[in-house]
Amino acid sequence: MTEQKNGPALAELLQRNRRWADSMVAKDPNFFKNLEAQTSPEYLWIGCSDSRVPANELLGMAPGDVFVHRNIANVVVHSDLNCLSVLQFAVDVLKVKHIIIVGHYGCKGVHAAMTGTRIGLVDNWLRHVQDVGQKHERYLGDVLTSRQRGDRLCELNVVEQVLNVCQTTVVQDAWERGQELSVHGWVYGLKDGLLNDLEVTVTAGHELAPRMATRLARYEAIA
């Protein structure tokens, strides 16, 4: 019964795929030939799994231009071999020049972590975001509304993930051998479609501490 109910919906997805493929060829007969040859994107996007935040589309880039890793609440932890494998492949094999950690305002994962809402197994994953909130609790004061606190935690979470990425052996080794590589922190706005650069770009190991201090000092001023 379930297969019959879902069948037409899945068939429609396949039909949409065919229409999309036809439209791409109509616009550019070499589209898929060029896509097949594209193997070296310059950007690694580490973002949230939220379906409202599609990396290529909001950057205005074609398939093949961005290497993408996504998980709930765009978390990077040193025990996640999946994320670290993507990072290592992107840096060592693809030779990406930019790693961009992208959160988004209104993130349901961040909100659940902030409010202590129980969801299930994912609660264990979101514990990482709760740790960020506890670490930077001073910047999430009572003067902020609930929405403002959520937005602030989304930003702090991105800042913390920039720190985590920069501290990985993959990135540290790349910098030590002189590889051109920079790490950035952005937050996407669902309400307007715009990316907010948190200005925590790091291009070498010695820049990490001052970049973090400068960014957090801004929150200190408006806490």
Side-chain angles (χ1 to χ4, degrees), residues 12-126:
E12 173 61 22
L13 292 181
L14 293 173
Q15 291 175 6
R16 290 185 182 187
N17 166 252
R18 295 186 181 94
R19 289 195 294 268
W20 171 80
D22 290 342
S23 69
M24 292 297 101
V25 173
K27 294 176 183 177
D28 179 4
N30 294 318
F31 178 82
F32 289 107
K33 182 182 293 185
N34 294 334
L35 180 61
E36 189 176 22
Q38 169 62 284
T39 57
S40 300
E42 293 190 1
Y43 310 94
L44 168 61
W45 170 291
I46 300 177
C48 182
S49 297
D50 195 303
S51 59
R52 299 170 295 176
V53 192
N56 289 76
E57 289 186 35
L58 62 88
L59 290 175
M61 288 184 160
D65 291 339
V66 186
F67 196 56
V68 178
H69 175 76
R70 299 168 71 175
N71 61 51
I72 302 298
N74 45 271
V75 170
V76 179
V77 290
H78 304 298
S79 59
D80 183 2
L81 294 183
N82 182 15
C83 183
L84 293 181
S85 296
V86 171
L87 182 64
Q88 187 268 327
F89 189 88
V91 173
D92 294 349
V93 180
L94 299 178
K95 305 296 183 183
V96 299
K97 292 182 172 62
H98 303 276
I99 301 170
I100 313 169
I101 297 88
V102 186
H104 66 96
Y105 298 117
C107 179
K108 294 180 180 178
V110 171
H111 183 266
M114 182 182 72
T115 58
T117 302
R118 294 294 300 275
I119 300 176
L121 180 63
V122 73
D123 298 341
N124 299 280
W125 179 255
L126 294 177

Side-chain angles (χ1 to χ4, degrees), residues 201-219:
T201 295
V202 182
T203 62
H206 68 271
E207 296 178 354
L208 183 56
R211 286 285 188 277
M212 295 296 109
T214 299
R215 176 71 251 186
L216 294 177
R218 296 179 185 177
Y219 294 126

Side-chain angles (χ1 to χ4, degrees), residues 176-196:
E176 286 185 13
R177 61 177 175 261
Q179 184 171 334
E180 181 183 352
L181 182 65
S182 57
V183 184
H184 315 264
W186 297 351
V187 182
Y188 176 69
L190 293 171
K191 65 179 181 181
D192 56 16
L194 299 178
L195 288 160
N196 175 24

